[in-house]
Amino acid sequence: MKFFIDTANLAQIKEANELGILDGVTTNPSLMAKEGIKGEENIVNHYKTICELVDGDISAEVLSTDFAGIVEEGKKLAAIHPNIVVKVPMIKDGVKAIKWFTDNGIRTNCTLVFSAGQAILAAKAGAAYVSPFIGRIDDSGWEGTELIAQISNIFSIQGFKTEILAASIRNPNHIIKCAELGADVCTCPLDSILGLLKHPLTDIGLAKFLEDAKKM
Ligand code: G3P
């Protein structure tokens, strides 16, 4: 399973990248706004900086919701760097645009996916990635990871090449469940990635080894 970081924060991207386990980055308008990135030039420059920091796929989301607007924006985003993947919402014009991008050699990440039916449509249109939002499904009272299992099963039976990019990760256990259920990618906040490191027995064991090392 590939690890992406789900942020537009450069310090966090650098920290995850320095761990040596980072395969890519996902952003969205909320994450860009959180970093105070405003205006077309600053947005483009921010994506360029992320592409220079991380050697992997970088998702950049369109803001348009109509076919022509999505295509125009997506072409501009894709021109920033070969690693840019155009992130397109799961709406009717989004599906049409994903098919257009597929036919024109531009890779896409279909975002805001909350059902297996939506994932099938994205795969049929040729999306490189489909992003089920598991944390938000949990928030609505359902089990988000069940959707990962269902999509994984369908894609495997049908031979769809679209990669399952588990998004809206809220904790380390989500990452473990996604790995177990066949997600191809997990895009995670930094603290969920770092949370995988933690185990009290590791801390206790290390303290004992360091104590005993003084007697060596
Ligand atoms: O990038 C999309 C997704 O990961 C958002 O997560 O925490 O806002 O539901 P969250």
Side-chain angles (χ1 to χ4, degrees):
M1 186 174 76
K2 287 182 272 189
F3 270 64
F4 289 2
I5 187 165
D6 194 27
T7 186
N9 181 284
L10 298 179
Q12 291 188 11
I13 292 170
K14 277 183 204 153
E15 187 176 340
N17 201 35
E18 280 164 10
L19 261 181
I21 52 87
L22 197 64
D23 301 297
V25 180
T26 51
T27 61
N28 63 38
S30 307
L31 295 170
M32 293 286 279
K34 196 172 160 192
E35 299 309 315
I37 317 297
K38 281 185 197 154
E40 198 175 332
E41 197 183 332
N42 289 333
I43 292 170
V44 168
N45 286 339
H46 202 72
Y47 287 138
K48 271 187 193 155
T49 306
I50 295 174
C51 289
E52 281 157 14
L53 283 175
V54 178
D55 183 19
D57 285 349
I58 313 297
S59 286
E61 189 158 342
V62 296
L63 306 176
S64 302
T65 54
D66 64 293
F67 174 76
I70 295 171
V71 166
E72 193 190 339
E73 248 189 90
K75 283 196 283 188
K76 283 186 195 160
L77 290 170
I80 294 173
H81 192 279
N83 288 351
I84 290 280
V85 176
V86 180
K87 205 170 176 187
V88 180
M90 170 37 76
I91 53 175
K92 199 170 171 187
D93 280 33
V95 173
K96 277 172 66 179
I98 289 170
K99 178 70 171 89
W100 187 92
F101 288 129
T102 305
D103 292 344
N104 287 276
I106 292 174
R107 292 176 310 135
T108 52
N109 171 2
C110 183
T111 189
L112 289 165
V113 166
F114 293 91
S115 76
Q118 292 178 326
I120 291 169
L121 271 182
K124 283 293 292 175
Y129 297 103
V130 62
S131 288
F133 277 31
I134 68 170
R136 293 193 196 182
I137 294 174
D138 286 357
D139 294 344
S140 71
W142 297 82
E143 180 58 57
T145 52
E146 279 178 13
L147 180 59
I148 300 296
Q150 190 182 22
I151 298 173
S152 177
N153 189 35
I154 292 168
F155 281 16
S156 140
I157 290 168
Q158 297 296 331
F160 286 134
K161 299 282 175 274
T162 300
E163 292 189 64
I164 302 168
L165 194 167
S168 187
I169 296 292
R170 300 281 168 75
N171 54 61
N173 203 39
H174 271 158
I175 303 175
I176 296 163
K177 286 297 288 181
C178 286
E180 199 176 10
L181 296 170
D184 300 287
V185 189
C186 227
T187 188
C188 323
L190 180 63
D191 56 359
S192 295
I193 298 174
L194 296 179
L196 292 172
L197 283 167
K198 291 181 194 150
H199 197 287
L201 291 179
T202 304
D203 298 339
I204 293 166
L206 182 61
K208 178 85 171 84
F209 283 155
L210 293 177
E211 188 56 33
D212 289 345
K214 291 178 194 155
K215 302 170 203 158
M216 281 166 64

